Amino acid sequence: MDRGIDFLKSQINNAVMQHQTFVENLADHEKQAEDARFRALCARFLPKAQAHQRMLEDYQRELGAETGTAKKALGKALGVARDLADAARESDFLRLVGDIVTSRQSEDTFKTFREAGRALGLTRLQQIGDMGEREHDDFHREANRLAQQMFVEYVREGDTTGLDLAPSASSATSTEFGATSRGTSSL
């Protein structure tokens, strides 16, 4: 086979597995999160991520690039390891930060797909890349805002002795970041 198409197929395969991790994280965290805002964020972006995953998998099939049994098994093993690592993380904050990192990795891949699609005249690759970059950028914007809120709340809830917080900072609500409740009610 041609080296170019083999390279494209391998990169699509990698993107499928990488993005699937993000989709699974959103699904798991929508169920596991104690913070209602985090659950809502996952619930809002999960359908978009699933639709984009289907687009990637469809393109993968169009190219005849389906991952082999060994790669699928490796992906499942990595998923189990991710689940164990995720379970060890006790806070929604750390889960959210992990989701941001995973999403950024996918976003970088999609930027490459978009630009490569333009340069090569591969419209489908360009569209997948453009859509993925846009959706992950939207996720980052909201997820980063929530991470900032949660960070401030976690610090304020704990022992702040020795932090020399300004009186106005320690007694103020986090209105600069939005709501401060980390409720446990389900959506």
Side-chain angles (χ1 to χ4, degrees):
M1 260 214 195
D2 183 301
R3 183 175 163 198
I5 191 70
D6 285 344
F7 179 77
L8 176 60
K9 288 178 179 182
S10 72
Q11 295 311 301
I12 294 298
N13 286 340
N14 290 338
V16 166
M17 289 190 313
Q18 179 186 58
H19 194 262
Q20 183 62 39
T21 298
F22 177 68
V23 172
E24 290 170 3
N25 284 350
L26 290 180
D28 290 347
H29 298 160
E30 179 186 13
K31 295 174 198 158
Q32 298 168 351
E34 292 178 19
D35 189 300
R37 298 165 300 174
F38 186 27
R39 284 194 312 272
L41 176 72
C42 293
R44 222 175 13 266
F45 281 94
L46 183 58
K48 293 176 185 180
Q50 289 169 326
H52 199 241
Q53 183 68 23
R54 282 189 298 278
M55 284 179 64
L56 274 170
E57 291 170 356
D58 290 346
Y59 191 57
Q60 182 185 43
R61 278 188 292 281
E62 288 173 27
L63 294 173
E66 288 94 353
T67 52
T69 306
K71 278 196 174 184
K72 286 182 182 177
L74 176 61
K76 293 279 185 201
L78 291 174
V80 169
R82 175 190 55 83
D83 291 345
L84 291 173
D86 214 26
R89 293 184 206 146
E90 294 180 12
S91 76
D92 286 345
F93 176 78
L94 290 177
R95 287 185 186 110
L96 176 59
V97 169
D99 291 350
I100 292 168
V101 169
T102 304
S103 177
R104 284 196 190 278
Q105 290 172 335
S106 287
E107 182 183 24
D108 288 343
T109 298
F110 293 130
K111 284 180 186 178
T112 299
F113 286 176
R114 183 195 66 211
E115 295 307 315
R118 282 183 187 151
L120 297 168
L122 297 172
T123 305
R124 184 94 162 106
L125 183 64
Q126 179 183 347
Q127 290 169 338
I128 289 169
D130 187 53
M131 180 181 168
E133 180 188 7
R134 220 179 20 252
E135 288 177 358
H136 283 277
D137 193 47
D138 291 345
F139 177 79
H140 297 148
R141 195 173 13 268
E142 288 191 44
N144 280 325
R145 196 171 20 251
L146 179 56
Q148 293 164 6
Q149 291 172 4
M150 291 170 79
F151 186 94
V152 169
E153 292 165 10
Y154 283 11
V155 170
R156 286 188 177 150
E157 289 174 2
D159 181 5
T160 58
T161 305
L163 290 180
D164 196 28
L165 295 178
S168 63
S170 62
S171 63
T173 62
S174 43
T175 55
E176 66 271 18
F177 295 118
T180 60
S181 170
R182 288 188 324 171
T184 58
S185 64
S186 60
L187 296 176

